[in-house]
C-alpha cells in the first residue's frame, strides 16, 4: 500500500465483495472436482475448520456449503458409478462382494494402516522371501527371525499385501473399535487437549472415507490399501503431528538436532523409495521383494518380458547379422515371461490377465492349440468374475479361428463384439476398429472373384458390408490408417479414384510418411491414367526410402507408359543390382531390351519391402 503499481503486472488479489469471492470459490471447486473427485470431501473439511476456530456451527455456516455439498454428492456418485460400471472400470463382481460388516472392519484397519505409514515410513525388507536368493541383496534387506516378521511394520511399497477380511473374528474389529475410542476420547477431552486434535483426526478420517472400502474402488482388487489413497487425508495427521512436535521440542535444547535427524531420515526414505520407480522392471521387482505374494507384480513382470521379446522381434530381428542369437534372446525372454505369468496364475487363479498373456505367447510361438485353450480359459474366468470390458480373449480366439480356416466362427465373434461398441467402444476404440477391419477382410474373402465395378448382386451386398465395416473402423479410430487404406484400395478397384484420393489425403494429413497410402495414391493415379502424378509420387517415395523395391518396379512400369524407356531400364537395373531375385523385374527388363546385371546385391540397412 502506498507503492506505485506495476501496470504490466497481473492483479492476483481476491475480490472484496463476498458474493464475488463465493462465486470464485464455487468455480475453483468445480475445477477441483473435475480434476479429482477426491476433493468432494472439501465442504466437510471447511465445516470442521470453522468449528475448530469458533467452537460451534450455525445455520449461517452451513448455508454456503449447500451448493458445494450438492456438487460433491453429484461428483462422488458419478465416480462411484464409473468405478462400478462393468463396461467402464468394472469394480464389481466376486472381488468386491463384501458384507457391510466386512467393510466396517476394513475401514478401521485401513485408518490405522496409514497412521503407521505416516509415523514410521521405512524402506527395510525383513529378510528375503522364501526360496529367493540374491548374490548381493540391497542394504535395505535386513535378516530377522521368521517369528518377528509378522509383527514388524511393512516397508513402503507400490502394492501392499491384501489381507483376509473376516468380520466374524473379534480381533479384526480391534482397528474399528480402537479408532472409535480415539475419536470419542479426543471429543470428550477437547477442552483439555484443545479442539485442534479432534479436528485433525476428523479431517483425516473424513478425507479417507472414499478409500476405506465402503465404496468399490478398482485398485482394491490388488490391495486394500495404497499410499496414494491417503495423500489428501494425511494432511490432517501431518498438521497434528507437526503441531505436537513443535510444542514438544520447543521445550528442549536439542530440538534443532532432533529436527535435523527427522528431516535426514525422511529424505533418505524418500530417495530410497523413489528408486523403485526408476523403470517398470525395477518397480515390479522391488514390489515382489517386499510383497512376495503380489500376483499383480508377477503378472506385470511377465508382461514386461513379453514386451521385450516383441521389441526384439520388431526392431532387432529383421536386420540382425546373427539371427540365431536374436532368436535365442527372444526365446529366453518368452521363458522369463511365462515363468512370471504362471507364478501370477498360481497366486491368483481367478485373475484372467496372466492366462491371456500366456495365450498370447503361445500364439506368437505358433502353438495355436495351446493359445486357443488358454484364451478359452481366460474367457471363462472373465465370465465367472463378471468382467465385461476385457474382450481380448475373444479377439485372440477370432484370430486363431481365421488362421485355422474357421472363418464363420471368427466372423461370429466379430459380429458379437459389435454389440459392445456402444458401451465400451470409446474406451477401446483401436481394439474395436481392428475387429471391424478383420471382419471386413473375412467378408471380402467371401466374394466370388476380385473386386470390380461389375460385381454380381450377391457380391455387391457383401462388398457393401465390407465398406460399412471399414467406414465404422475409420470412425472408431480416426488416427489409425489401416481402415482408410483398405477403403482406398477398394475404391481404386471399383474405379472410384476421386473417393480414393479423398480417403488417402486424410491418411497422409495424419501420417505424411505412411507408405501404404503413398503406394495407393500412385495406384489410383495409374488407374486414372495420371502417369505423371503416379511417377512423381513414386519418385518421392524412392528418394525417402531407397530400399522400396516395389516402388522401383511400379515406377519402371509408369515410365514405360510415359514413353521413357531408357529411364525405365535404368530404374530396373538399379532394382536388380539391389535385389536380383525381385519378382517381375528381370522379365520386364528383358522385354524392354535391357541387360540383366550380374553384380552381387548390395546390403540394405533397412528391411526389404
Amino acid at each position: 500500500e502506498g507503492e506505485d503499481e506495476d501496470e504490466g503486472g497481473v492483479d492476483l488479489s481476491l475480490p472484496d465483495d463476498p458474493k464475488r469471492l463465493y462465486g470464485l470459490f464455487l468455480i475453483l471447486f468445480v475445477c477441483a472436482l473435475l480434476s479429482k473427485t477426491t476433493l468432494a470431501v472439501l465442504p466437510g473439511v471447511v465445516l470442521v475448520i470453522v468449528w475448530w476456530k469458533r467452537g460451534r456451527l450455525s445455520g449461517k455456516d452451513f448455508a454456503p456449503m449447500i451448493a458445494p455439498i450438492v456438487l460433491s454428492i453429484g461428483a462422488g456418485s458419478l465416480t462411484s458409478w464409473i468405478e462400478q460400471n462393468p463396461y467402464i472400470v468394472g469394480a464389481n463382481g466376486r472381488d468386491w462382494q463384501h458384507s457391510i460388516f466386512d467393510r466396517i472392519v476394513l475401514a478401521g484397519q485401513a485408518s490405522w494402516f496409514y497412521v503407521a505409514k505416516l509415523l514410521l515410513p521405512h524402506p527395510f525388507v525383513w529378510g528375503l522371501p522364501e526360496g529367493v536368493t540374491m548374490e548381493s541383496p540391497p542394504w535395505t534387506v535386513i535378516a530377522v527371525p521368521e517369528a518377528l516378521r509378522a509383527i514388524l511394520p511393512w516397508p513402503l511399497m507400490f502394492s501392499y499385501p491384501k489381507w483376509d477380511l473376516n468380520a466374524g473374528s473379534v480381533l479384526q474389529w480391534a482397528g474399528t473399535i480402537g479408532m472409535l475410542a480415539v475419536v470419542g476420547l479426543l471429543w470428550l477431552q477437547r477442552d483439555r487437549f484443545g479442539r485442534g486434535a479432534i479436528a485433525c483426526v476428523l479431517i483425516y478420517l473424513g478425507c479417507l472415507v472414499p478409500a476405506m472400502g465402503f465404496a468399490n474402488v478398482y485398485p482394491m482388487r490388488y490391495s486394500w490399501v495404497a499410499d496414494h489413497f491417503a495423500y489428501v487425508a494425511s494432511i490432517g495427521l501431518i498438521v497434528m503431528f507437526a503441531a505436537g512436535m513443535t510444542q514438544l521440542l520447543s521445550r528442549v535444547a536439542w530440538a534443532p538436532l532432533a529436527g535435523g535427524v527427522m528431516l535426514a531420515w525422511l529424505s533418505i526414505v524418500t530417495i530410497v523409495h523413489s528408486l523403485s520407480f526408476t523403470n517398470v522392471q525395477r518397480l515390479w521387482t522391488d514390489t515382489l521383494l517386499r510383497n512376495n505374494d503380489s500376483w499383480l507384480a508377477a503378472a506385470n513382470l511377465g508382461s514386461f518380458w513379453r514386451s521385450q521379446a516383441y521389441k526384439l522381434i520388431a526392431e532387432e530381428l529383421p536386420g540382425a547379422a546373427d539371427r540365431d542369437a536374436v532368436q535365442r534372446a527372444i526365446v529366453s525372454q518368452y521363458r522369463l515371461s511365462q515363468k512370471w505369468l504362471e507364478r501370477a496364475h498360481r497366486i491368483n487363479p481367478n485373475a484372467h490377465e496372466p492366462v491371456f498373456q500366456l495365450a498370447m505367447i503361445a500364439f506368437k510361438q505358433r502353438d495355436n492349440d495351446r493359445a486357443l485353450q488358454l484364451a478359452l480359459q481366460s474367457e471363462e474366468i472373465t465370465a465367472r468374475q463378471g468382467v465385461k470390458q476385457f474382450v481380448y480373449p475373444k479377439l485372440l480366439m477370432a484370430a486363431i479361428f481365421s488362421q485355422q480356416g474357421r472363418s464363420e466362427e471368427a466372423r461370429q465373434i466379430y459380429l458379437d463384439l459389435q454389440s459392445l461398441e456402444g458401451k465400451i467402444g470409446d474406451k477401446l476404440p483401436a481394439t474395436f476398429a481392428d475387429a471391424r477391419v478383420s471382419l471386413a477382410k473375412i467378408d471380402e474373402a467371401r466374394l466370388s472373384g476380385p473386386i470390380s465395378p461389375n460385381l454380381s448382386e450377391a457380391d455387391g451386398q457383401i462388398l457393401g458390408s465390407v465398406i460399412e465395416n471399414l467406414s465404422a473402423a475409420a470412425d472408431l479410430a480416426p488416427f489409425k490408417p489401416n481402415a482408410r487404406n483398405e477403403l482406398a484400395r477398394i475404391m481404386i478397384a471399383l474405379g472410384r479414384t476421386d473417393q480414393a484420393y479423398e480417403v488417402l489425403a486424410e491418411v497422409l494429413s495424419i501420417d505424411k510418411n505412411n507408405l501404404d497410402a503413398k503406394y495407393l495414391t500412385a495406384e489410383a493415379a495409374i488407374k486414372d491414367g495420371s502417369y505423371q502424378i503416379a511417377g512423381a509420387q513414386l519418385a518421392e517415395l524412392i528418394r525417402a526410402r531407397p530400399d522400396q523395391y516395389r516402388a522401383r518396379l511400379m515406377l519402371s512400369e509408369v515410365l514405360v507408359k510415359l514413353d521413357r524407356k531408357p529411364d525405365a531400364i535404368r530404374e530396373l537395373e538399379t532394382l536388380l543390382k539391389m535385389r536380383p531375385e525381385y519378382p517381375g523385374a528381370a522379365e520386364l527388363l528383358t522385354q524392354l531390351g535391357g541387360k540383366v546385371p550380374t553384380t552381387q546385391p548390395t546390403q540394405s540397412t533397412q528391411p526389404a519391402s
Side-chain angles (χ1 to χ4, degrees):
E1 188 174 344
E3 297 180 358
D4 293 335
E5 292 186 4
D6 182 2
E7 295 182 359
V10 178
D11 182 12
L12 297 177
S13 60
L14 294 172
D16 295 326
D17 182 6
K19 292 182 179 178
R20 292 180 61 198
L21 187 62
Y22 181 69
L24 178 61
F25 160 70
L26 286 180
I27 292 171
L28 294 177
F29 182 57
V30 169
C31 291
L33 287 177
L34 292 173
S35 301
K36 187 75 171 175
T37 51
T38 304
L39 266 293
V41 298
L42 183 61
V45 172
V46 170
L47 290 172
V48 170
I49 292 174
V50 170
W51 171 81
W52 164 64
K53 294 181 72 174
R54 299 179 184 173
R56 58 182 175 77
L57 287 172
S58 65
K60 291 182 179 180
D61 298 319
F62 281 98
M65 289 297 105
I66 293 176
I69 288 172
V70 172
L71 290 169
S72 294
I73 293 172
S77 300
L78 177 61
T79 300
S80 180
W81 177 80
I82 290 173
E83 282 280 339
Q84 296 183 52
N85 190 304
Y87 297 102
I88 304 178
V89 176
N92 62 8
R94 290 190 176 186
D95 287 330
W96 290 271
Q97 290 175 352
H98 307 292
S99 69
I100 184 61
F101 299 107
D102 282 338
R103 294 174 186 268
I104 294 172
V105 163
L106 176 59
Q109 294 171 345
S111 62
W112 282 110
F113 174 87
Y114 296 116
V115 172
K117 279 287 152 283
L118 285 167
L119 290 178
L120 190 60
H122 74 87
F124 299 118
V125 181
W126 309 123
L128 293 173
E130 185 178 353
V132 176
T133 58
M134 299 179 71
E135 291 184 4
S136 54
W139 65 272
T140 52
V141 176
I142 301 175
V144 298
E146 186 74 29
L148 291 178
R149 293 186 188 181
I151 62 174
L152 291 175
W154 289 337
L156 295 173
M157 65 185 84
F158 183 78
S159 181
Y160 292 96
K162 187 177 183 180
W163 59 84
D164 293 330
L165 279 182
N166 182 10
S169 171
V170 175
L171 288 176
Q172 291 218 5
W173 284 89
T176 303
I177 294 171
M179 186 56 70
L180 290 174
V182 168
V183 172
L185 177 64
L186 290 176
W187 175 260
L188 294 174
Q189 298 295 320
R190 62 189 181 279
D191 293 333
R192 179 181 176 185
F193 296 130
R195 293 191 299 272
I198 181 64
C200 286
V201 172
L202 290 175
I203 288 172
Y204 165 68
L205 294 175
C207 291
L208 197 60
V209 164
M212 280 184 171
F214 292 114
N216 290 351
V217 181
Y218 194 82
M220 288 186 178
R221 180 187 178 202
Y222 314 111
S223 177
W224 302 123
V225 290
D227 292 338
H228 69 276
F229 285 173
Y231 285 165
V232 174
S234 63
I235 296 173
L237 290 187
I238 290 171
V239 167
M240 183 172 69
F241 179 78
M245 291 301 294
T246 299
Q247 290 191 6
L248 178 64
L249 295 179
S250 63
R251 303 172 186 175
V252 297
W254 42 268
L257 177 61
V261 170
M262 192 180 306
L263 182 61
W265 172 248
L266 293 176
S267 299
I268 291 171
V269 173
T270 299
I271 293 170
V272 172
H273 186 47
S274 68
L275 294 177
S276 293
F277 300 87
T278 304
N279 54 57
V280 172
Q281 184 184 4
R282 175 72 180 270
L283 172 63
W284 299 119
T285 302
D286 282 6
T287 300
L288 276 171
L289 191 61
R290 290 158 172 76
N291 178 9
N292 195 40
D293 291 329
S294 173
W295 73 267
L296 171 67
N300 277 286
L301 263 182
S303 178
F304 167 77
W305 286 113
R306 182 168 70 97
S307 69
Q308 293 301 106
Y310 286 3
K311 187 176 180 181
L312 283 179
I313 292 170
E315 298 179 7
E316 301 291 334
L317 191 59
D322 188 349
R323 292 177 65 88
D324 289 341
V326 178
Q327 288 282 14
R328 286 194 297 271
I330 292 169
V331 170
S332 174
Q333 290 174 350
Y334 273 146
R335 285 175 180 168
L336 275 171
S337 178
Q338 288 170 320
K339 165 193 166 185
W340 290 112
L341 292 170
E342 287 167 358
R343 177 173 174 176
H345 181 56
R346 285 195 302 272
I347 295 171
N348 184 4
N350 292 318
H352 51 271
E353 298 94 336
V355 181
F356 170 72
Q357 291 200 56
L358 286 168
M360 284 298 297
I361 292 174
F363 181 66
K364 288 291 184 180
Q365 293 177 328
R366 299 179 182 177
D367 187 352
N368 281 352
D369 291 339
R370 176 163 170 75
L372 184 58
Q373 177 188 359
L374 289 166
L376 284 167
Q377 185 180 348
S378 179
E379 175 63 16
E380 288 169 1
I381 295 173
T382 60
R384 189 166 65 246
Q385 296 292 96
V387 178
K388 302 293 186 182
Q389 75 274 30
F390 197 76
V391 298
Y392 304 110
K394 292 186 177 72
L395 291 170
L396 179 56
M397 285 189 285
I400 294 171
F401 288 151
S402 294
Q403 286 192 4
Q404 293 177 338
R406 299 159 65 179
S407 299
E408 278 305 312
E409 292 174 84
R411 186 172 185 273
Q412 190 57 52
I413 291 176
Y414 290 130
L415 287 172
D416 292 342
L417 283 173
Q418 290 181 15
S419 64
L420 297 176
E421 282 181 9
K423 298 174 181 176
I424 57 177
D426 291 341
K427 182 181 178 184
L428 304 170
T431 299
F432 282 96
D434 288 343
R436 286 271 192 170
V437 172
S438 297
L439 178 58
K441 290 179 179 179
I442 290 174
D443 282 344
E444 185 177 343
R446 296 165 59 207
L447 295 172
S448 59
I451 297 172
S452 70
N454 301 315
L455 291 174
S456 65
E457 183 178 349
D459 280 352
Q461 291 178 350
I462 293 173
L463 187 61
S465 175
V466 171
I467 294 173
E468 179 185 346
N469 281 308
L470 291 174
S471 299
D475 291 338
L476 280 165
F479 295 101
K480 289 199 71 174
N482 56 338
R484 284 190 169 87
N485 283 337
E486 288 294 319
L487 272 173
R489 178 181 59 80
I490 292 172
M491 293 300 111
I492 293 169
L494 292 173
R496 304 176 191 172
T497 52
D498 289 343
Q499 291 175 269
Y501 286 135
E502 290 179 11
V503 173
L504 292 169
E506 292 176 359
V507 174
L508 291 170
S509 68
I510 297 169
D511 179 9
K512 64 180 181 180
N513 297 316
N514 188 275
L515 288 177
D516 288 336
K518 288 184 176 183
Y519 276 118
L520 287 165
T521 301
E523 287 180 12
I526 293 170
K527 183 88 172 182
D528 216 15
S530 303
Y531 299 116
Q532 292 283 1
I533 294 175
Q537 181 77 19
L538 292 167
E540 180 187 344
L541 199 159
I542 291 169
R543 279 195 298 271
R545 293 284 299 275
D547 64 337
Q548 292 299 301
Y549 313 129
R550 175 186 168 199
R552 290 185 182 275
L553 181 61
M554 288 177 66
L555 179 57
S556 303
E557 294 168 344
V558 168
L559 291 170
V560 172
K561 294 287 186 182
L562 292 170
D563 293 326
R564 294 171 56 184
K565 182 178 174 181
D567 293 332
I569 290 173
R570 280 194 297 273
E571 196 63 51
L572 287 167
E573 289 173 346
T574 302
L575 167 57
L576 288 168
K577 286 178 183 178
M578 299 173 70
R579 192 76 177 270
E581 303 298 328
Y582 195 80
E587 291 84 348
L588 180 57
L589 181 57
T590 302
Q591 291 173 16
L592 296 176
K595 185 178 179 181
V596 177
T598 58
T599 55
Q600 293 295 320
T602 57
Q603 292 293 326
S604 174
T605 58
Q606 299 187 29
S609 302

